Amino acid sequence: MEVTDIGNKEEGKVWHRKPTPGRSVLVTVVRTAQQNKTVRFLHVAFDTTGDSFLAGDHHGNIYLFDISRNRFRLVQKTGQACTALAFSLRRTTEFLVALADYTIKCFDKDTKQLVSWMRGHEGAVSSISVHSSGRYAITTSSDTAQLWDLDTFQRKRKLNIRQSVGIQRVFFLPLSNTILSCFSDDSIFAWESDTLFCKYQLPVPDSGPRISYKAFAVTRDGKSLAAGGRSNLLHLWCLDSQRLLRVIQMPAQVRTVRQLEFLPDSFDGGANQTLGVLSQDGAMRFINIHTCRLLFHMGSADEAVGAVAVGPNGRHIAAIMDNGSINVYSVQSLTQELNKPPPSQVAVVSGGEADQNLSGIKMKVKSEGVQRPARSSGRRTQVKMLRAPAASSAEDKENELPAGLNKKRLVALLKAFGEFPAKYRMFVWRSLLCLPENHAAYSSLTDKGLHSAFLTLHDQYPIKSHKLQRGLQRVLSALAHWAAIFAEVEYLPLVAFPFVKLFQNNPMLCFEVVATVIVNWCQHWFEYFPNPPLNILSMAENVLAHHDQELLQHLVDCGVTSQLYVWPLLETLFSEVTTRDEWLRLFDNVFSNHPSFLLMACVAYVISCREPLLLCSQKKDFEYFFHHRNNLDVGAMIKEAYRIAGSTPADIHPRTMLSDFTALTSGQYPVFNQYPEFIVEYQSRERERIRLQEMEYLKERQELSALRADFVRRQAEEKAYYAQQELLQKAEEHRRNILAQEEDKLAQQRTKLAAMKRELKVRELHLLDATRRRFLKHQQEQQASQIHRLDQEISRKMDLREQETAAAVQDLEVRQMELEAQRKRLEQDLLKEQERVGRAVEEEVLLKMREAERADESYSELLHSAESNLQALEESLAEAYQLGLESDWQREVLERLQRVDAEQERKRERLAQLQRQTLAEEGRLAHTVREVAGRKWDDVMSSRAQLQEQRLASSAAETGERQRKVESAGPSGGLLHRPAASVAAKGVNTATGGGSSTTQRQGGANMVCLNSSSPSGSSSTNFSLDRGRAHLDSSERELLKEIRELRQKLAARAREGSSASSPSVHALSSVPQ
């Protein structure tokens, strides 16, 4: 027994050494994972052919094992353990698997793709049953059963039950539309699958112990049901009559039945007779349900069987063992003892002396009890008294067949029953044909592979079954390798096909049967190759002429030759005109007689169809008649063939021209050269030449097809390209049109907007013109009112001047008298005043110098505060740099600081220049003050001289006039001082100590303007000095403002740079303003 460990392989061979014939266990499949842990297989399921099966392990891996091809492969990884498996009968590549999460999935074993996913169960699915049509499936769990449509994968029906009654199993009956449901209370109901109408209920047996059904099995024809459970009793039901046929009691070792399976047989017509019973002890016993005999068993206490699956063809059994492995059993090896023929029941005794009376010897023989399937009647073999044959020992030796059979007895049995038993037909044929079973010679032929003449056989003879197609190719290839002529014979597939279909499970026997038929029953067929065997056809025509001259004449009159009514029967071996059972019955007689019996059967077929043939007159009717089945009694035809074989004269009898039966030689097959070799060789050469030319032609045709396909593809691509370009062009034109329309609309809108703008502009111009006119009018009105006011003021002042003049004249007259009295005192006061003015001028010069010094000090303090601000700014920048600002920002800050330094330097230069200008102005002011003092002094002296001169002329008049000049000089000096004082106050409003200096300047100015005739010089000097200081203050304010803006920018940049630099920004903003 070979053990195959598939491990983690995804594909490979099932067995590496071909199993030995006769061994029951073909192979044991195990799967070990890491650390040598065995992965248990849980379920197996065969496909419809029976040559491959699915197996699922508890890791969720689904494997496909192909026994015929000796291959396995991993078809799916579900990731969870499966609870049931089943193939889809309609789409053979699809299978159903129930998983531990209560779902059912459908996969494709070739593409490994998920086809569908079905949900609906609330418990683990225990079984999946597929309808014979493959359209529906039933899934069963402990609480419900659901009917699915496999075309749409939708649920059609759901079976709900009471909680007290559980479901054991629900499944389809084979070859019918009936659903059988089995419940835990042993009730069994049958339902119509289309309407779900209850057809019947099987009655529960009243007598006997309760079995508690757990396992069920139905025969292939759907007529019998076997049920078992917690007992060693089995109930066998007839579903047609709904009654219990029998109760089968298993051996005492069986206490519980776990599984039941019927074993199919190729010749039982679906009425299976062998039932496999798996019990709690791990052994599966196969019994005959009619004889109740134990046939064979599988498994033991050491190798217990957990579950089994039987192939539909009955050739293999896949069993899951308790250790998690899979054993693949060969049913042929298990039933080898059953298929052996019974021992000979007739003993032939010959006398030792020549003169002994043989006819007086009698022997009583009893059949031995052999455990093998018997007839359903179960009757015992009767004891027969047989007389010893009177033939010679040579004839007895000739009639002896292998395995103890006798040809004469087989022929007698055949004539009595008309055919051999279906169960033993293959065995009888093997004995009659004396097949040598040359395994080595057949292997040498098959090792050469498929013959080139039959590579395209499926094109000429398409067969639905791929297995049958491959078997026919193998047999024909072996025949072609055996003899070259068989590669050229066109009708050879027709000859071999019935035997291939019959022996499809054993290709070697099929080959030997076909070779034996060709060697014996196809004698002289190939002498006229490639023409039909005219000699053989003439033999059949001579026999027909002897037995039915009228029918032959009718055929001749209709132009029908033996090539039309005999050759179609021979080249197909009657397979076209008979059914399977009729053909088997006919060849039971052909193999049991002389090779000439086949020709007699052809003549008998023609004579048996005499009446319809006489009614035919067209050649095509005859062709149709001999290529299709007709309503004919094969038994009558066989009897007619025997009659013709017995009544045909020896001169025209084919027996005289055909050799007797010759079996194939053992060890090596005989040489077959009964054909014109030169024709075959010529044809083979011509065929090879034609094949090479055809291959070359096919190659050229393939290249041409590739070029044509390439051209078509390019043409399609070009067409698609031009179509795409045309669509793109149309789309582009459409978009261009849309764009043009949009541009037109935009242009119109722009035109409207421009018009609106022009209109608004015109309105605005009109409004501005109206406003300007109103403003001009308002100004004219204001100017007119102002002129009017000025005129009124002038007139008023003129009136006032006249009044003042009159009052002054009067006052002068009074004061002339006073002036004369005060003249002396005034002279003294004037001297004192001159001295006081000189001292005041000196004090004012000193005051200006002090103010200049204070300006210098304020300038130095300003520079010091700027330097301190710059130092604080540098310290804040250094601190910001230390806090982690980036180098680019630091560089920018440094550049800004450099620019600030340069700007400060420029400011310093401007301040220095302003200081120099201020010093220069102060120097000019001092010089101007000295000049003004000198001029004032000169004016005073000149005024004194004029007073002295006027005193001499007219004391009274001069005194009054001088009094008026003094009174008029006082107001003018005040008027001149007020503008200068106001300008100085505006220039130094922010400076410290400006008030005192202003007061001193006012005093000095009053003193100067008291006796000065032109005071404009001093007022201009004071105004220029105050203007320089105001310019210095404004420059300082602008510098501080720029420094403040720079600090604000640096603080904003620091906030944007990083949150970590926020302290530095605060430090920058905290620098004193």
Side-chain angles (χ1 to χ4, degrees), residues 421-437:
K423 191 170 186 178
Y424 299 103
R425 177 176 281 118
M426 300 299 104
F427 174 74
V428 172
W429 282 14
R430 290 167 59 183
S431 300
L432 289 174
L433 299 179
C434 300
L435 301 181
E437 299 185 11

Side-chain angles (χ1 to χ4, degrees), residues 904-938:
Q904 292 293 333
E905 188 66 26
R906 289 194 297 270
K907 297 293 181 180
R908 291 192 193 96
E909 292 177 358
R910 288 181 60 190
L911 290 175
Q913 186 178 0
L914 290 174
Q915 185 179 7
R916 289 192 296 271
Q917 291 178 0
T918 303
L919 293 176
E921 290 292 334
E922 289 178 352
R924 286 194 297 272
L925 180 61
H927 180 69
T928 302
V929 168
R930 286 192 296 271
E931 289 180 355
V932 169
R935 283 196 300 270
K936 292 294 182 181
W937 183 258
D938 294 338

Side-chain angles (χ1 to χ4, degrees), residues 836-852 854 922 925-926 928-930 932-933 977 980 996-1009 1018-1019 1021-1023 1025-1026 1029:
R836 188 183 63 81
V837 169
R839 288 193 299 270
V841 169
E842 290 178 359
E843 290 176 0
E844 188 175 357
V845 170
L846 293 175
L847 181 63
K848 294 295 182 182
M849 293 178 66
R850 290 191 191 98
E851 289 177 357
R854 285 195 298 270
E922 289 178 352
L925 180 61
T928 302
V929 168
R930 286 192 296 271
V932 169
H977 174 70
S996 61
S997 63
T998 304
T999 305
Q1000 292 176 2
R1001 284 197 303 273
Q1002 287 178 356
N1006 290 329
M1007 290 301 293
V1008 172
C1009 293
S1018 62
S1019 63
T1021 302
N1022 292 332
F1023 177 74
L1025 180 60
D1026 294 337
R1029 290 179 180 178

Side-chain angles (χ1 to χ4, degrees), residues 1007-1057:
M1007 290 301 293
V1008 172
C1009 293
L1010 179 64
N1011 294 318
S1012 179
S1013 61
S1014 59
S1016 60
S1018 62
S1019 63
S1020 63
T1021 302
N1022 292 332
F1023 177 74
S1024 64
L1025 180 60
D1026 294 337
R1027 185 178 58 184
R1029 290 179 180 178
H1031 183 68
L1032 181 61
D1033 293 336
S1034 63
S1035 300
E1036 183 180 2
R1037 285 194 298 271
E1038 290 178 358
L1039 180 60
L1040 293 175
K1041 184 179 179 180
E1042 289 179 359
I1043 292 174
R1044 189 180 297 110
E1045 291 177 354
L1046 179 60
R1047 288 174 179 174
Q1048 292 176 356
K1049 290 182 181 180
L1050 291 177
R1053 181 65 59 86
R1055 284 194 300 270
E1056 292 175 358

Side-chain angles (χ1 to χ4, degrees), residues 685-700:
R685 288 195 300 269
E686 288 297 318
R687 188 182 296 275
E688 184 67 19
R689 182 180 61 81
I690 293 172
R691 189 181 66 82
L692 294 176
Q693 292 179 355
E694 184 178 2
M695 290 178 63
E696 186 176 358
Y697 166 73
L698 290 176
K699 185 177 180 181
E700 293 177 357

